[in-house]
Amino acid sequence: MDLFTLVSLILIIAMLIAAVVAAEIKDLLSAAIAMGIVSLIVSILFYILQAPDVAITEASIGAGLSLAIMIFAIKHTERWEK
Amino acid sequence: MKRILGGVIAVLIFIVLALAFVHIPFGNIDLAEYHYYNPVDNEHTQDSVPQHYLDEGKKETGSTNIVTAVVVDYRGFDTLGEVTVLFLASTGVGSIMYIFEKEKRRKVRRANAVVETASKLLFGFIILFGAYIFVHGHLTPGGGFPGGAVIASSFLLLYLAYPRFHAEHKNLNIAESLAGLTFVGVGILGLFLAGYFLYNFLPFGLPTYLFSAGVIPVIYVAVGVKVGSELTGIVDAMMGVRE
Amino acid sequence: MIDWINVLIQAGVTALYLFLAIVIGLLFLGIGRKVTARIHNRVGPPVYQNFIDVGKLLAKKTNIRHNWIFDFAPLFGLAGVLLTLAYLPMGGYRLLSGEGDLILLLYVMVIPALGFALGAGASSNPNAGVGVMRALTLMLSYEMPFLLVLLSIMILYNTASLDVLLSKQMHFAWAIAMLPLSALAADMALQGMMMEKPFDIPLAPHEIASGPMVEFGGKYLGMLMLYSAGSVIVETTLFVDLFLGGGVVLDPATYGILAYVVNYLVWFLLIFVVWLIALFINAVFPRFRIEQAFKFYWKWPTIIAAIGLVQAYIMSAFLGVMP
Amino acid sequence: MIAVHPVLLIAIPLFFAFLLPLIGLFSKKVLKYVVTGTIALNTIIALLVFREALNSPIFDILGGFKPPLGIVLMVGPLGGFIALIINMAGLIISIYGMEMKKEPLVKYYMLSLLLLMGANGMVLTGDLFNLFVFLEVTSIASYGLAAYNKDLKGFEGALKYVILGSIGSTFVLIGIALIYSQLRTLNMLDIATRLNEMDPYVKIVAFTSLFLGFGVEAEMFPLNTWVPETYDGAPHSVSAMFASMSAKAGIFALARVIFTIFAFTNYLWFVVIMGVLTVFFGEIIAYAQRDIKRMLAYSSIGQMGMILMGLGIGTTMAVEGAFFQMFSHAMAKALLFIAAGYMIYATQTEKMSEMKGIGRNPLIGIPLLIGILSILGMPPFIGFYGKFYILMGGFSEGYYAIIALFLAASLVEVAYYARFIKIAFEGGGKRYPSPKATVYIPLLLFAVIIVIFGVYPKPIFEILSHVTTFLTGGV
């Protein structure tokens, strides 16, 4: 197993964990942040796979803006899922 | 019970899809066996689409960044569609959030001085960086979408630092309309000049120069402005503090 | 030139057939009144009473005007019945042709129900409203077994065309012999279709004063009488065509005009028999309530028809009875 | 050289949609005329495109790169026909949409133009990924429009639609990714010719993904739970648009996935079963409804199921019927939704039981009656041919049990529409305000189309004779 595979494997497992957390957790703010983490890891993976264009886009939109928008939306409603 | 059922279905879908995705080659594969069929002229050729992009992309579009060549030139119509999708999202959010316009100004807490000053300083630089990304879309990684997102994030910074701040909605609308009109206008111009919608009718120039690759920079600037103003509009609508 | 003459002859024959059908229908209604009266130990009106009634009604001037729908509804129903008649072979002769006749008939036969609904709505009489809701429920109930019956016949004879069905019945065997169970179910459905007792719930003269027809008088009532005369012919003919070979005993290809005459007479005899059976049932049964009718139809005839369907399927798919 | 570029059907609404905010700055009054004018222009172009497509399929190359390098629009006779239907329905609905009062008007008009553009794109495009893009355009425009009323019902419907629609889009994307990874091409005809190079397992998974994904838009049985809430909560003109534009585009995309791309014939029984389940559940639940728009929505599900059944049966006759049904349903359902809009406005309630005598005004009553009869499949109206051909096609293929279910469902349909007719034409109701010109003109236009092509369906059948080439994998 070379370094490349190892790093991707770790990242993918972390991504899966973050995705499950985002789906299961009752605290919506944490769920939003977990989704941001998924996007961040995806953008790192894109970068590793030599797709810088997609990586930039994913980082700025997925991890940055959509996270902010989601937090604004949570601010308008309630933080805890019932 | 419901949760268990849901879990079982999710696992089943995962297994079915995973078995399919196993067949997808990861990384480089031998492309020689592929040939492509052109239904318009009804001819078969020994070539593969990705290999063609890599080999001929620079020559055919004038763009140094092959991703940009594919996104804006080969499949420019898809990009137009995606821009429209973003436009729709912004319009939809605007239409749904319209109800909040009448909401009274709420009591808001000011951010502290460090944040205010730093965002004032950074604001210009971030915009500049965003503009750089989309202006150089045909030369370096990046392009209209990330550039626009970066610009929007600079406005986001202002929203965070100054809770009473809001971008003038009218100006945002004008910017996104003009940018969209530019994109469609370039397309229609291509239709009239060369008979193909979105045809790259400007001279390609020298590769790696800023003014090269024909209409690609024009389109990417339009896309950047459009994405920037739309995302700002969405953030603005979501903030919901307006008179 | 020749074409025009042909068209004119065609139109004349069509008019004649439809006219005869209506006349026979009126005659049947008259016979029905007489027979029922005799079973009830009454004298009853003369057989020709209905002709007099219709003549009188159509000659009347109508003063009650509601609105355009009210004027339109009886016409709508009558047109639907005439259209259905045109698609049904009467004595082997059919005016309009089409390929999927049986399926087409199912559509066309719904038109009168819609006409009922329209007419009832037009006259803002509560009795009419009640009648229409009952008619719709009744339709839903009897159509279920009837559909299954139609399907069994279509499967057994492997056709949806009435022409083919009739010729196959003439050459091989009547469907009533092949599918007795389906015929039984169809007869039960027929009783509801004709709205005779025990299924005269929508009309129920003593209860809701003839239901949908309550507001109609004069010319409109005359038209409605013609309509019910036509529908008696439609329903009996449908049963005869489906199960009794449509009265076709001689092949017109070999016997020519004689075949048409003989077939027409046989058809007349057969529908008369079917009508008489319906009348006898009508005369001795009391009226159901609507929910009883619904339960009845979705229980017994449906089960019988389903068994008939299975039988038809086995006969056609495994035994290959019918070529 | 092409005389009329089909791309104009997409470019013109897009251009005007971008222009609308600028016009809106000066005057909000002219907006509605601009929108109607745009769609009228589009309809004319659609007519020209259709006329040309009848002779030979049009390939409109975009960006100057031949497929599969670039994107191509591929318009056959049937595609042109469906595009014409969509634009025509859009034009007539936009007349009704002129009445729209609720702010923000600019956004309403933009969204409806873009919905039209997306539906056009879905019908015209010859590229699989482009189809996905337009699916997104259509569905996102629909989300915005569905919640336009900004009341609880609208939000609920829109939310359901968003969730199911996103899942559907994801499935479409997965299907496209699988196909592209195996064949390295996105052009539909290119895929179709080289489909046997694909791994059989991947092929089936890709087909299922695409089928399920477009099934959401086409209101297929397990994926149509969004339909009643969305149709119910949306503004009336928008419900009409959904029924006649986006649903038709979705089902046409589905037809192309089935026939043009995959040319599957041995899996079609699956489609038939899905179709008949859709019909059955749609009609049965519609019978139980008390609100008019919900009833129409469920009836719409039933009708879409009939189309699906016709596609699944797969003989020339049944597919002809399916296309005819698309045409008739687009016209009649749009009519009924507009009429329902007026009725809800006039009676101030959605309950059917309180709409006594609403149809007594001939301007409403006659089109209403024509629309209902056409939906029921009564002979002199266009609805008849679609249903009848689907049934005959099914009969000739030996789907006996399915035909029985279909017929039973049609009977239920007759029952609930007749119930509504009875209420609508009943006397003794209140006096209602008479409809405005923007209500009765579209109603009459739809009714005239229904009657004309019902009495004289020959031109439509001439168009539909191209179904044979469509079935064998042509354009």
Side-chain angles (χ1 to χ4, degrees), chain C residues 67-69 104 107 110 121-122, chain D residues 360 384 387 411 414 425-427:
Chain C
N67 53 5
W68 63 273
I69 310 152
L104 196 75
Y107 282 120
V110 171
Chain D
R360 303 199 120 198
F384 165 70
K387 262 192 183 178
L411 277 169
V414 170
F425 293 99
E426 203 167 23

Side-chain angles (χ1 to χ4, degrees), chain A:
Chain A
M1 192 186 281
D2 57 351
L3 190 66
F4 173 76
T5 324
L6 190 70
V7 170
S8 340
L9 211 63
I10 292 170
L11 284 174
I12 287 170
I13 289 170
M15 189 175 86
L16 272 177
I17 293 171
V20 171
V21 166
E24 290 295 321
I25 200 164
K26 295 277 178 203
D27 181 1
L28 291 177
L29 200 61
S30 310
I33 291 170
M35 274 181 72
I37 292 173
V38 173
S39 288
L40 200 65
I41 298 176
V42 168
S43 82
I44 295 172
L45 279 173
F46 280 140
Y47 185 72
I48 292 176
L49 292 171
Q50 298 174 15
D53 297 71
V54 197
I56 293 177
T57 317
E58 179 70 42
S60 57
I61 292 179
L65 270 173
S66 64
L67 182 59
I69 289 171
M70 245 174 240
I71 291 173
F72 287 148
I74 292 169
K75 231 171 85 181
H76 279 300
T77 56
E78 281 170 35
R79 186 174 161 177
W80 298 92
E81 188 185 340
K82 288 199 186 94

Side-chain angles (χ1 to χ4, degrees), chain B residues 16 23-24 34-37 41 49 52-53 75 77-78 85 88 95-96 170 177 181 195-197 226, chain D residues 5 18 21 25 62-63 66 68-69 127 129-130 137 140 150 155 181-182 184 190 193-194 197 199 201:
Chain B
V16 168
H23 293 273
I24 293 181
Y34 288 100
H35 62 280
Y36 79 70
Y37 164 68
D41 302 333
V49 176
H52 185 100
Y53 287 152
R75 305 194 65 86
F77 197 57
D78 281 345
V85 167
L88 275 169
S95 122
I96 293 170
K170 206 191 262 178
S177 286
L181 287 177
Y196 301 116
F197 189 74
K226 201 165 160 48
Chain D
H5 285 269
F18 288 148
L25 286 180
L62 302 174
K66 289 194 171 151
L69 285 179
D127 190 279
F129 188 75
N130 206 235
V137 170
I140 292 181
K150 295 186 273 292
F155 281 134
S181 72
Q182 294 258 310
R184 316 251 145 177
D190 195 5
T193 43
R194 293 176 20 209
E197 290 173 19
D199 186 277
Y201 179 73

Side-chain angles (χ1 to χ4, degrees), chain C residues 82-266:
Chain C
L82 289 181
L83 188 66
T84 321
L85 274 176
Y87 271 107
L88 272 175
M90 288 181 282
Y93 183 77
R94 189 166 47 149
L95 311 171
L96 293 180
S97 59
E99 247 179 62
D101 290 305
L102 285 175
I103 295 170
L104 196 75
L105 275 176
L106 274 174
Y107 282 120
V108 181
M109 283 173 60
V110 171
I111 294 182
L114 291 171
F116 260 141
L118 266 180
S123 62
S124 41
N125 190 313
N127 281 342
V130 174
V132 151
M133 293 323 279
R134 291 179 175 187
L136 288 178
T137 318
L138 186 66
M139 191 188 80
L140 261 188
S141 15
Y142 70 70
E143 287 284 3
M144 189 68 200
F146 191 68
L147 265 180
L148 289 176
V149 167
L150 270 192
L151 205 66
S152 345
I153 288 182
M154 285 199 273
I155 289 177
L156 182 66
Y157 288 88
N158 197 20
T159 178
S161 155
L162 273 170
D163 275 344
V164 180
L165 181 66
L166 290 192
S167 80
K168 278 193 176 178
Q169 287 199 49
M170 180 174 66
H171 287 115
F172 301 105
W174 282 1
I176 197 166
M178 310 292 287
L179 299 166
L181 287 175
S182 296
L184 182 63
D187 194 54
M188 290 180 185
L190 194 69
Q191 200 72 16
M193 214 182 280
M194 297 205 282
M195 294 187 190
E196 296 290 350
K197 276 178 191 146
F199 304 110
D200 65 339
I201 317 152
L203 301 176
H206 325 102
E207 192 183 330
I208 50 172
S210 297
M213 306 192 181
V214 61
E215 272 297 295
F216 291 95
K219 283 197 177 61
Y220 299 128
L221 189 59
M223 251 186 279
L224 281 180
M225 277 190 77
L226 291 182
Y227 157 82
S228 46
S231 45
V232 164
I233 299 300
V234 166
E235 283 138 10
T236 46
T237 307
L238 184 61
F239 187 83
V240 168
D241 279 352
L242 287 181
F243 285 104
L244 301 172
V248 183
V249 285
L250 295 179
D251 195 350
T254 42
Y255 293 94
I257 195 91
L258 177 71
Y260 281 112
V261 177
V262 172
N263 288 346
Y264 199 81
L265 291 176
V266 176

Side-chain angles (χ1 to χ4, degrees), chain B residues 2-31:
Chain B
K2 239 182 196 170
R3 286 179 74 86
I4 297 171
L5 200 69
V8 169
I9 290 175
V11 169
L12 270 180
I13 290 177
F14 178 79
I15 291 173
V16 168
L17 289 182
L19 282 177
F21 275 108
V22 163
H23 293 273
I24 293 181
F26 188 77
N28 257 353
I29 53 152
D30 183 22
L31 296 169

